[in-house]
Amino acid sequence: MKMTLTAIVAGALSILALIIFIMVFLPYAQQDTTPSNIWRDRTQVEAAGRKIYIANGCVYCHSQSIRAIDWGFGGERIAQAGDYVGDEPILLGSARTGVDLSQEGGEHPDDWHVAHFVNPRYTRPSSIMPPFKWLGIKEILTLTQYVQSLGFKQADIRMKRQRHWKRQAIEAYEAGPDVNARWLAEQVPEGWRNIPNPYPTTPAGLQRGHKIYQEFCLGCHGPIGDGMGPAQPWIYPPPLNFTILKGREISGGIIYYQLMNGITGTAMPYFKRELESQKIWEVGDYVAVYFINQSDANTDPRGIDAAWEPYLEFEPE
Amino acid sequence: MASTANEQAPSYPTAIAFCLTSTIWFAAATSFGMIAAGYLFAPDFLANIGWLHFGKARPIHVNLVLFGFVTPGLLAAGFYMIPKLLRTELFSEKLGVFTAVLWNVTMLCAIVGIGAGYSQGREYAELPWTVDLMIVVLFVLVIFNILMTIRQRKESILYVSVWYITAAVVLTGTTYGIGNVIWKPDTGALLGIPDAILLWFYGHNIFGLLLTPMGLAVAYYVLPIATRSPLYSHTLSLIGFWSLIVVYTHIGTHHLLQVPVPTYLKVIAIVDSVAMVIPVMVVLINLWFTVKGKWAEIHQDIGAKFVFAGTIYYFFVNIQGSMMSLPVVQRVTHFNNWVVGHAHIGVLGFAGVTALGGIYFLLPRITGKPIYSRFLADLQYWLVLIGITGFAIVLTIVGLIQGQAWINGETIYRVLPQIQPYYIARASLGITIMLGAYIGAYNIIRSIFFNPGATAK
Ligand code: HEM
Ligand code: HEM
């Protein structure tokens, strides 16, 4: 074959044209623009927040695209083409240096996001997200509105839930520590309230609990558990001061349940995805021993002793 | 031009201008890469500098690397090779130098645009509309200059390198405008899923229809000349060229295998990504058989040494790429640093190293003197090679850690402390690459402007 200029230019361009037709134009012409069942339009503020998201390259660390194999945030719902019908540009993202944000709306209340944007280390001590304090509070609030809309109608339901519980949490907090501590404990289902921490306090367990506390809790509850972590100025009701819990019969079960499930409406996140059972019991015991100064670890009722517990003198026989 | 006084030795001012452009932006781009890498293990470093945080340093890094360092570097070689191969002069050196100057202005605008927050938010297409227009203009100028040079040629046969360069600039000139949705200045994007399809069609063509053919053009030119061997096979050249254009253009959807796009697109993308073995191996067999047994010659010419190293990375990046297109593999590798490793092997290891090779090959031939310091060039060679190989290893390990952890249900947050040491290692390796870039800049500038003549060996 003789390669002439015409052969090269015309040949390459016609191959390109054919392939653009098949690989780009056909899918474009045949696209289904029906919105998915959760889709809704964005409000003006949300659209403005999306612009800030684009301008600041959030997309290089955050995908908005849930796959069938995902577990994390939003893992309950696999992405559908109809979720993106209003997105120009589409922000699928190609890296998850941070988490997927498809269903971020309503995972946390607004105050959590504000503290997180000011400096992600405040709410998430080992985060590597850059701080956005320099954006200024007005822009941060706009951005928060956008983030809270991710997930569309599902996000709206979660936001409604956040607002509902936020009112109650603030009311309880403002009524003073007695009421607040009682209110918090009463939200935990009866059964859980009566369960002590089933595992004994051990030096190793406390060490591990300490490490988890530093990686997950420090920014809010503070190094000494008084609720004065760096996130505190941005969070309302403020992070709990654990020392007020002394003498209020806060069982291991209450702490476990609150950690697992979070306290919706307050900045207190749920940890069921991040921490397995043992880790929750151990960080709970760490809080109980060091900050509340009162632990019910390994008291009755206990059930059958766990197989691995070396600290028990096994007597029956 | 002043140098036309000296009749017998044309001085290729356009090629020189593009060499300088490439080498300066290489240094700048790696500096931005270092900033991005720093943020990933010390996120509060440089905190609150609004135009420089990770979300901006990263796209500035990537755009400078692609359009500031690699493309001009390969074009420099192009503006030298084309007149040489066609036994003529460049159609207009004035236009060429003007293009290079405008190129630098465009890169400055790119930094300012992204830094000031005018990014369009689409990976590899983030440059704001005005900069997009400037880039299209640049490509039009380059295409015009090259086509006119071909028309005035005195050599009737067009060598492989000419095919690749012509196809690369013509096809990229076309896809750039389409991929950036240049007819929609406000968003520069389509609506919904088709936007993702178009974006990755275009994004992949930046590697497939710009960097790869330009890089191969340099390899096809440098390797036979450096080893004084005829090209192994004309037929293989033909197969390699046409199969590249046919196959590479199909595979953009392998970036979207886990996204709700039409299934037939995914099937085509997977099949053709595996079929990429053909254009790749055909070309490599052709090149490697050409230089077979000529190691001494390759070692002697620092340009050829870079280019040959580039072909090896080309082999690895493509084998890796074909693997990553298999859905079972991509479940683990997608969304994490494995892909970043692949990107650096491809864009730096293959295209970037080849561009450096082209520059080092043409400089002594244009200036008529050896490069300023062969020692510094060798030093740069090893710094870049160690850096990129280290990147490949470290980023692949991190990618596997992340991918395997996620698939087991670990949250992203929990894995962060585990990967921090690797981020530190990657930044340290980045320092070697950045040093290489600065040393190279010094060496190349000295070779052009303040070259005493004899080598400083
Ligand atoms: C046989 C050839 C190749 C194949 C099949 C291939 C395949 C792939 C795949 C599947 C991805 C997406 C990974 C993911 O998101 O999960 C990818 C990404 C990438 N490839 Fe390749 N690749 C090939 C050659 C190259 C070459 C030669 C270059 C550079 C010159 C290159 C540069 C890139 C870059 C920069 C990315 C990152 C895109 C992003 O930002 O997500 N690839 N490649
Ligand atoms: C000083 C040396 C360098 C450092 C420290 C560095 C660092 C980085 C960092 C931190 C990222 C972002 C990755 C992420 O999002 O996790 C990145 C992306 C990228 N870099 Fe570099 N880089 C360097 C040199 C280069 C060079 C010389 C090239 C090409 C010639 C290059 C090409 C790319 C590309 C194509 C991407 C996009 C990857 C993707 O989207 O998957 N880098 N680099």
Side-chain angles (χ1 to χ4, degrees):
Chain A
M1 175 177 178
K2 184 155 171 5
M3 293 289 276
T4 61
L5 185 57
T6 329
I8 296 166
V9 174
L13 280 176
S14 39
I15 293 174
L16 183 74
L18 182 68
I19 287 167
I20 290 184
F21 180 76
I22 301 173
M23 298 300 287
V24 181
F25 183 74
L26 275 189
Y28 175 75
Q30 297 172 346
Q31 67 177 311
D32 182 3
T33 49
T34 330
S36 65
N37 60 340
I38 63 166
W39 190 85
R40 69 159 170 80
D41 242 336
R42 292 199 179 89
T43 66
Q44 230 168 6
V45 188
E46 289 162 4
R50 193 169 194 267
K51 291 230 167 72
I52 303 175
Y53 187 92
I54 292 174
N56 285 291
C58 312
V59 70
Y60 300 110
C61 291
H62 291 289
S63 60
Q64 291 187 20
S65 166
I66 301 267
R67 311 171 288 172
I69 52 172
D70 285 336
W71 293 71
F73 288 114
E76 271 71 29
R77 186 177 179 288
I78 301 165
Q80 299 172 10
D83 301 347
Y84 302 104
V85 292
D87 290 2
E88 183 180 322
I90 192 168
L91 299 174
L92 295 173
S94 68
R96 279 192 190 158
T97 306
V99 295
D100 187 282
L101 294 177
S102 307
Q103 292 287 337
E104 178 64 14
E107 282 273 354
H108 305 282
D110 291 350
D111 53 346
W112 187 94
H113 283 292
V114 173
H116 184 253
F117 283 131
V118 167
N119 188 326
R121 260 70 55 213
Y122 289 179
T123 59
R124 294 287 216 165
S126 37
S127 175
I128 55 167
M129 173 162 148
F132 287 95
K133 186 173 185 195
W134 56 272
L135 272 178
I137 194 71
K138 206 171 136 254
E139 300 260 289
I140 288 183
L141 286 173
T142 313
L143 188 57
T144 302
Q145 291 284 301
Y146 168 62
V147 169
Q148 295 290 38
S149 78
L150 289 166
F152 303 109
K153 290 180 191 161
Q154 287 190 322
D156 294 345
I157 296 172
R158 288 191 293 262
M159 281 313 288
K160 213 168 136 197
R161 193 182 291 145
Q162 291 283 5
R163 281 191 290 269
H164 169 81
W165 287 104
K166 172 139 272 166
R167 274 193 298 276
Q168 312 216 11
I170 289 180
E171 207 174 288
Y173 172 74
E174 289 180 347
D178 288 333
V179 179
N180 198 25
R182 196 172 341 112
W183 179 80
L184 282 168
E186 275 167 5
Q187 304 313 314
V188 176
E190 177 79 40
W192 283 91
R193 275 186 256 162
N194 304 331
I195 300 176
N197 190 326
Y199 303 121
T201 303
T202 65
L206 286 176
Q207 285 266 315
R208 290 190 295 260
H210 175 64
K211 178 161 179 287
I212 292 180
Y213 187 83
Q214 291 197 312
E215 277 176 19
F216 289 87
C217 327
L218 189 83
C220 290
H221 292 287
I224 53 169
D226 58 355
M228 295 304 281
Q232 186 267 347
W234 280 273
I235 285 179
Y236 198 77
L240 197 69
N241 174 355
F242 292 129
T243 55
I244 67 157
L245 294 180
K246 182 160 182 164
R248 295 188 200 274
E249 303 191 325
I250 301 298
S251 65
I254 292 181
I255 299 179
Y256 187 98
Y257 190 88
Q258 301 284 50
L259 284 175
M260 175 179 72
N261 216 31
I263 305 172
T264 308
T266 78
M268 173 72 189
Y270 63 88
F271 290 97
K272 69 164 188 171
R273 293 188 208 268
E274 322 238 45
L275 298 175
E276 301 90 330
S277 172
Q278 183 187 357
K279 292 179 177 145
I280 302 185
W281 286 121
E282 283 175 352
V283 70
D285 200 39
Y286 172 79
V287 168
V289 169
Y290 280 112
F291 303 141
I292 308 180
N293 207 2
Q294 197 171 53
S295 168
D296 58 1
N298 198 30
T299 53
D300 281 325
R302 250 190 3 225
I304 299 175
D305 301 324
W308 49 265
E309 280 171 28
Y311 284 81
L312 286 182
E313 308 243 330
F314 188 69
E315 280 155 11
E317 187 84 19
Chain B
M1 298 271 105
S3 53
T4 41
N6 184 355
E7 279 300 349
Q8 62 273 60
S11 63
Y12 299 100
T14 308
I16 295 280
F18 273 98
C19 282
L20 288 170
T21 307
S22 169
T23 195
I24 286 166
W25 291 111
F26 184 24
T30 47
S31 311
F32 278 101
M34 280 311 298
I35 292 171
Y39 268 106
L40 288 178
F41 66 86
D44 288 314
F45 127 107
L46 300 181
N48 297 327
I49 306 181
W51 64 276
L52 202 59
H53 67 81
F54 182 86
K56 290 181 173 167
R58 185 193 195 281
I60 293 179
H61 164 64
V62 175
N63 279 287
L64 286 189
V65 144
L66 290 175
F67 298 115
F69 160 47
V70 181
T71 307
L74 294 170
L75 277 175
F79 280 117
Y80 168 75
M81 292 186 294
I82 292 223
K84 272 272 183 204
L85 285 167
L86 303 174
R87 288 178 217 261
T88 175
E89 282 174 14
L90 190 64
F91 169 69
S92 166
E93 293 284 2
K94 279 211 180 91
L95 178 64
V97 174
F98 172 74
T99 314
V101 172
L102 187 62
W103 203 290
N104 286 283
V105 176
T106 310
M107 286 302 108
L108 275 178
C109 293
I111 300 184
V112 173
I114 294 176
Y118 295 105
S119 162
Q120 292 181 330
R122 299 159 86 235
E123 231 182 322
Y124 305 104
E126 42 274 276
L127 297 178
W129 184 68
T130 35
V131 183
D132 284 345
L133 279 190
M134 290 166 83
I135 291 196
V136 172
V137 169
L138 288 174
F139 269 96
V140 170
L141 295 181
V142 170
I143 293 170
F144 178 70
N145 217 344
I146 288 181
L147 290 188
M148 293 307 281
T149 309
I150 297 181
R151 282 193 51 180
Q152 67 177 32
R153 69 184 189 269
K154 304 204 178 69
E155 162 69 61
S156 68
I157 295 174
L158 297 178
Y159 180 67
V160 200
S161 299
V162 181
W163 317 343
Y164 274 115
I165 294 174
T166 314
V169 291
V170 168
L171 293 177
T172 305
T174 321
T175 45
Y176 189 89
I178 300 176
N180 280 279
V181 198
I182 210 150
W183 60 94
K184 276 193 180 174
D186 47 339
T187 58
L190 300 178
L191 192 62
I193 288 288
D195 188 43
I197 296 173
L198 175 63
L199 174 64
W200 285 114
F201 166 79
Y202 153 78
H204 204 87
N205 284 345
I206 288 293
F207 323 132
L209 295 183
L210 178 64
L211 304 189
T212 300
M214 294 287 291
L216 294 181
V218 173
Y220 266 115
Y221 183 81
V222 168
L223 292 180
I225 292 186
T227 59
R228 287 183 212 85
S229 318
L231 192 60
Y232 177 67
S233 156
H234 176 66
T235 314
L236 288 185
S237 313
L238 273 174
I239 300 177
F241 176 77
W242 288 112
S243 60
L244 181 86
I245 294 181
V246 172
V247 180
Y248 223 136
T249 37
H250 280 100
I251 61 180
T253 317
H254 64 209
H255 295 263
L256 299 172
L257 291 183
Q258 311 185 27
V259 172
V261 300
T263 310
Y264 72 92
L265 292 180
K266 297 186 191 175
V267 175
I268 297 177
I270 296 169
V271 172
D272 278 355
S273 297
V274 177
M276 272 301 289
V277 173
I278 298 168
V280 170
M281 286 322 295
V282 162
V283 167
L284 285 177
I285 288 172
N286 205 3
L287 289 171
W288 285 346
F289 270 83
T290 303
V291 302
K292 203 171 152 207
K294 305 269 171 63
W295 305 123
E297 283 89 338
I298 290 183
H299 268 276
Q300 210 164 18
D301 189 313
I302 178 73
K305 204 163 136 181
F306 269 102
V307 172
F308 186 78
T311 63
I312 293 176
Y313 285 112
Y314 185 61
F315 173 76
F316 279 113
V317 74
N318 289 293
I319 297 303
Q320 186 194 29
S322 296
M323 263 170 49
M324 285 155 66
S325 311
L326 303 174
V328 273
V329 179
Q330 206 181 89
R331 277 159 178 247
V332 177
T333 61
H334 190 49
F335 279 145
N336 58 46
N337 278 295
W338 174 295
V339 181
V340 180
H342 170 79
H344 284 93
I345 304 177
V347 182
L348 173 56
F350 159 56
V353 165
T354 306
L356 290 171
I359 293 176
Y360 279 122
F361 186 82
L362 63 83
L363 276 184
R365 287 169 173 80
I366 292 180
T367 60
K369 298 177 212 162
I371 44 169
Y372 168 68
S373 163
R374 169 75 198 232
F375 169 75
L376 289 182
D378 273 322
L379 182 63
Q380 181 188 22
Y381 177 85
W382 284 111
L383 286 174
V384 170
L385 240 60
I386 290 169
I388 175 63
T389 310
F391 263 35
I393 295 170
V394 170
L395 291 169
T396 303
I397 295 176
V398 191
L400 287 175
I401 293 175
Q402 292 176 294
Q404 301 288 6
W406 298 347
I407 223 167
N408 278 326
E410 280 273 14
T411 60
I412 281 166
Y413 182 71
R414 270 260 296 265
V415 187
L416 291 179
Q418 263 132 64
I419 62 180
Q420 196 198 29
Y422 297 91
Y423 275 139
I424 296 176
R426 121 75 103 63
S428 320
L429 288 159
I431 293 179
T432 66
I433 300 179
M434 190 174 75
L435 269 180
Y438 279 92
I439 290 173
Y442 173 72
N443 199 9
I444 288 169
I445 292 173
R446 289 280 325 224
S447 299
I448 296 172
F449 293 118
F450 313 100
N451 196 345
T455 353
K457 263 226 167 103

